[in-house]
Amino acid sequence: ITAMTFDALERRLLTGANDGTIRMWNHNNGQLLKEIKHEEDEGEVTQLLYIMDEQRDAKLIVAVGWNRSIIVWNETEDHVLDEYRVLSGHEEDILCAAFCTGTTMLATGDYNGRILLWNIYSGFKRATLQIESSNSYNAACERLCFLKARDDIDEGPVLISGGADGNLRVWLTNRE
């Protein structure tokens, strides 16, 4: 297991593995609830997100990883989820992802330090942010998170990135 997350109610556990497989479990009794499949290249899953958007009546499962793809499933009642969308744009392994609740914004970060901002529903790439580092081995974007308490800023949601160089960076996501 290389990635885990809970669903919105924290009753089901999603796991991703180094062979690209994704499963949903009842974490109380260990029962396998769903197989989540894709036909993309296999690669280690590095981050899983479960997104529940009540405004759009949507429940999404997002996986990123070493196959350089962002794979998005709409959760249904089916035991096997095999219909999905792919967002492409990274040229290196994707290490992390974050979703900004109350918006349509998804952020993904890769080994080269490139952070892409997406509209999760349309697949439109909104912006590219780049971590600058003097050493290419330290450029990787390893963690992302949106600050929920700062939704009052005119320049949009605040994104925090953690780099392999040990630095935290603050990004204003709607700035030119």
Side-chain angles (χ1 to χ4, degrees), residues 64-137:
V64 300
W66 289 3
N67 64 2
R68 303 176 182 179
S69 297
I70 301 146
I71 307 173
V72 182
W73 294 266
N74 288 315
E75 188 189 359
T76 64
E77 297 299 319
D78 298 334
H79 179 68
V80 175
L81 299 182
D82 55 6
E83 291 184 28
Y84 59 92
R85 294 178 290 126
V86 176
L87 308 179
S88 299
H90 283 281
E91 297 170 5
E92 272 297 334
D93 298 339
I94 304 171
L95 303 178
C96 55
F99 179 73
C100 185
T101 306
T103 72
T104 62
M105 192 178 304
L106 174 72
T108 55
D110 68 22
Y111 185 75
N112 276 346
R114 183 171 293 124
I115 300 167
L116 300 181
L117 301 178
W118 306 86
N119 180 315
I120 187 80
Y121 297 104
S122 69
F124 175 72
K125 186 170 35 169
R126 297 179 45 163
T128 301
L129 310 172
Q130 181 68 48
I131 294 174
E132 297 297 332
S133 178
S134 59
N135 181 340
S136 63
Y137 295 108

Side-chain angles (χ1 to χ4, degrees), residues 1 4-15 23-34:
I1 294 175
M4 294 188 298
T5 193
F6 283 106
D7 71 344
L9 299 176
E10 296 186 356
R11 294 185 353 212
R12 299 174 298 169
L13 178 68
L14 286 121
T15 60
R23 294 185 174 104
M24 182 181 285
W25 307 86
N26 177 328
H27 71 85
N28 285 323
N29 63 17
Q31 179 184 6
L32 177 62
L33 300 174
K34 290 184 192 293

